[in-house]
């Protein structure tokens, strides 16, 4: 799960050659913008069949938060 | 659940009109670099759009679309019993723009006429409204005008909205026709997200003041005033990818529509990511999902009829087609419809200056 999410994030942000860690604050990535945001929502829906409402998504800070949000909605 | 089956009504003609002036996103100075512009184009699918000059309003685009359609179909204007104009960019706050259009088009003073405010769900809602008006047979012919000049509502520095939207106006003629198959619909609303697409000032909740005109830097390089459009793209996107497929599914399941028998799916041309996402959920091949994003952008309420006129012109004139359309956007509002078109009148897309 974790690996899959990180893999997908790397692809969206086009940073295949860089490390993405769970504690990273994803909004601080230089590559994070409104299009990346939409791509991440689409990817989470596609890959994990989960929709995170925007009010909840706005509370997420780190990659780990994102992972937890997905896992809790998959159950 | 808001389901409807509207009997005794058919769509007889559709036309669309766009402003002549084109604006391209390729190498647009709005973006930091040519690569940035290309990334926007790749993700949204929008290469260029039509922008209305100051002199062209939504009502003008719809007026010309209607004139052309009525002339081509050959109806006597006095036969048109109802006119509904749907837009978010009317001529005036008061009165309803449709009233002026009744006169300008030379329609009868006996014409049942009103405006509706809706965004990208407008055309499908319009089918429901005029369909319901005609279904009893007391009124026989109706004109649905759906058009938008949303470019006028955007800050030109707002790269999240300005390069996405284009202007267009459309006209659709419907008539009482007892032998025609029913128009089937599902519609819905999530008003908890009403401010995810909105213009803050200018209504009566928050009237215009001097401050309304103040340009405020929202983020580096993006300035906007309170009379300009704000979109929470992520919220709209999340709503769309979760609710629109469900709406189409409800339509298909409740009315036992055979998906394979549907010739085309007309999805509101919001942006490429959204269209692809919805099409993907129904495993639709690209040829069943015609679109107009590349050359006209997101034309708001006009996008579905514009796509019919621009992309399916020959087919709708010569064949009997089964179609599903789904419109979704500001409100947040959505509506999906199944309908058939049997060799309708459909003039080629045209431009005005």
């Amino acid at each position: 799960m974790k690996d899959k999410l990180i893999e997908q994030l790397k692809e969206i942000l086009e940073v295949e050659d860089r490390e993405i860690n769970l504690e990273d604050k994803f909004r601080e990535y230089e590559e994070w913008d409104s299009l990346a945001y939409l791509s991440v929502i689409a990817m989470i829906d596609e890959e994990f069949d989960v929709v995170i409402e925007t009010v909840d998504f706005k509370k997420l800070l780190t990659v780990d938060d994102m992972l937890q949000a997905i896992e809790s909605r998959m159950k | 659940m808001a389901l409807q089956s509207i009997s005794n009504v058919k769509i007889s003609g559709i036309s669309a009109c766009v402003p002549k002036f084109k604006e391209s996103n390729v190498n647009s100075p709005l973006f930091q670099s040519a690569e940035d512009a290309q990334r926007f184009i790749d993700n949204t699918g929008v290469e260029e759009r039509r922008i209305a000059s100051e002199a062209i309003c939504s009502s003008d685009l719809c007026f010309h679309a209607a004139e052309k359609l009525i002339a081509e179909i050959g109806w006597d204007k006095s036969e048109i019993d109802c006119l509904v104009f749907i837009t978010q960019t009317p001529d005036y706050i008061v009165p309803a723009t449709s009233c002026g259009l009744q006169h300008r088009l030379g329609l009868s003073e006996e014409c049942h006429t009103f405006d509706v405010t809706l965004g990208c769900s407008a055309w499908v809602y319009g089918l429901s409204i005029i369909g319901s008006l005609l279904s009893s047979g007391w009124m026989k012919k109706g004109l649905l005008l759906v058009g938008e000049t949303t470019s006028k509502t955007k800050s030109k520095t707002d790269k999240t909205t300005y390069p996405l939207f284009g202007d267009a106006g459309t006209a659709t003629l419907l008539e009482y026709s007892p032998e025609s198959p029913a128009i089937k619909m599902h519609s819905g609303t999530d008003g908890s997200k009403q401010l995810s697409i909105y213009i803050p000032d200018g209504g009566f909740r928050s009237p215009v003041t001097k401050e309304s005109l103040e340009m405020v830097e929202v983020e580096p390089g993006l300035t906007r005033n309170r009379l300009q459009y704000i979109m929470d793209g992520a919220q709209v996107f999340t709503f769309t990818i979760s609710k629109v497929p469900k709406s189409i599914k409800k339509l298909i399941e409740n009315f036992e529509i055979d998906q394979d028998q549907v010739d085309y799916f007309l999805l509101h041309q919001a942006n490429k990511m959204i269209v692809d996402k919805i099409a993907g959920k129904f495993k639709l091949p690209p040829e069943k999902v015609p679109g107009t994003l590349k050359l006209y952008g997101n034309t708001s309420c006009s996008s579905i009829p514009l796509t019919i006129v621009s992309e399916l012109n020959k087919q709708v004139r010569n064949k009997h087609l089964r179609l599903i359309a789904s419109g979704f956007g500001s409100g947040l509002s959505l509506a999906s419809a199944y309908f058939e078109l049997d060799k309708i009148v459909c003039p080629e897309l045209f431009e005005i200056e």
Side-chain angles (χ1 to χ4, degrees), chain A residues 33 38 45-46 51 54 58, chain B residues 39 232 235 237 277 281:
Chain A
D33 63 6
L38 297 191
D45 176 56
E46 183 94 21
V51 175
T54 316
K58 283 180 177 157
Chain B
R39 183 163 160 259
D232 182 342
Q235 188 160 62
F237 188 75
K277 200 91 199 96
K281 294 208 178 188

Side-chain angles (χ1 to χ4, degrees), chain B residues 45-341:
Chain B
V46 181
E47 233 171 78
E48 62 180 42
R49 306 103 59 223
R50 300 304 180 100
I51 305 293
S53 67
E54 228 169 84
I56 300 176
C57 282
S58 307
S59 61
D60 300 314
L61 294 165
C62 290
F63 168 79
H64 288 285
E67 282 283 48
K68 183 147 197 161
L69 183 60
I70 296 167
E72 195 155 315
I73 206 166
W75 287 0
D76 188 327
K77 283 180 173 175
S78 65
E79 296 174 328
I80 295 174
D81 299 313
C82 55
L83 162 63
V84 177
F85 177 47
I86 314 186
T87 191
Q88 299 176 115
T89 45
D91 286 9
Y92 305 102
I93 303 276
V94 176
T97 305
S98 51
C99 295
L101 282 164
Q102 169 271 332
H103 171 68
R104 197 172 161 196
L105 284 164
L107 305 187
S108 157
E109 287 186 13
E110 290 292 322
C111 190
H112 177 92
T113 305
F114 59 97
D115 281 15
V116 171
T117 308
L118 278 174
C120 309
S121 60
W123 189 74
V124 184
Y125 261 93
L127 294 185
S128 160
I129 296 166
I130 296 220
S132 305
L133 289 173
L134 299 180
S135 182
S136 70
W138 282 90
M139 292 190 248
K140 294 283 193 298
K141 288 179 179 168
L143 172 59
L144 170 65
L145 300 179
V146 168
E148 207 76 274
T149 46
T150 50
S151 67
K152 294 174 194 279
T153 66
K154 310 285 186 313
S155 161
K156 291 196 176 182
T157 62
D158 190 346
K159 67 180 167 75
T160 64
T161 59
Y162 185 70
L164 186 61
F165 289 88
D167 301 333
T170 71
T172 304
L173 285 168
L174 297 100
E175 66 184 301
Y176 180 71
S177 170
E179 66 279 6
S180 296
I183 298 171
K184 292 157 180 136
M185 309 238 335
H186 171 263
S187 46
T189 310
D190 181 358
S192 73
K193 300 182 176 68
Q194 64 164 334
L195 301 187
S196 57
I197 300 176
Y198 91 126
I199 295 175
D201 290 357
F204 297 95
R205 180 69 59 198
S206 180
V208 182
T209 62
K210 276 183 201 159
E211 286 71 41
S212 305
L213 292 164
E214 210 172 288
M215 296 302 288
V216 176
E217 185 157 40
V218 188
E219 54 182 81
L222 193 172
T223 57
R224 184 161 64 199
N225 70 36
R226 294 181 57 81
L227 296 171
Q228 292 174 324
Y229 186 100
I230 302 174
M231 178 169 73
D232 182 342
Q235 188 160 62
V236 178
F237 188 75
T238 305
F239 166 82
T240 304
I241 62 172
S242 61
K243 298 291 164 61
V244 176
K246 285 184 190 140
S247 169
I248 298 174
K249 202 173 269 176
K250 282 175 192 163
L251 176 75
I252 288 176
E253 284 173 1
N254 281 288
F255 293 108
E256 296 174 350
I257 296 163
D258 180 354
Q259 193 190 312
D260 297 332
Q261 295 289 309
V262 175
D263 296 294
Y264 298 100
F265 284 73
L266 302 160
L267 304 176
H268 163 53
Q269 301 288 292
N271 69 45
K272 186 172 178 294
M273 290 165 83
I274 288 178
V275 172
D276 288 353
K277 200 91 199 96
I278 300 169
K281 294 208 178 188
F282 293 91
K283 300 188 171 61
L284 302 174
E287 62 273 17
K288 274 202 172 190
V289 191
T292 40
L293 280 166
K294 188 177 175 193
L295 296 181
Y296 303 99
N298 177 339
T299 49
S300 185
C301 61
S302 303
S303 84
I304 295 170
L306 176 68
T307 297
I308 294 174
V309 173
S310 155
E311 305 304 306
L312 299 176
N313 200 288
K314 219 177 265 169
Q315 291 91 320
V316 296
R317 278 193 292 187
N318 300 308
K319 286 186 188 165
H320 175 198
L321 298 178
R322 294 180 175 85
L323 303 161
I324 281 180
S326 188
F328 41 85
S330 65
L332 296 174
S333 163
L334 64 83
S336 306
Y338 168 87
F339 56 99
E340 299 181 23
L341 295 180

Side-chain angles (χ1 to χ4, degrees), chain A residues 54-71:
Chain A
T54 316
V55 289
D56 299 328
F57 200 97
K58 283 180 177 157
K59 292 179 197 147
L60 310 178
L61 298 174
T62 63
V63 175
D64 192 41
D65 292 343
M66 200 190 288
L67 183 64
Q68 304 294 333
I70 296 168
E71 278 179 342

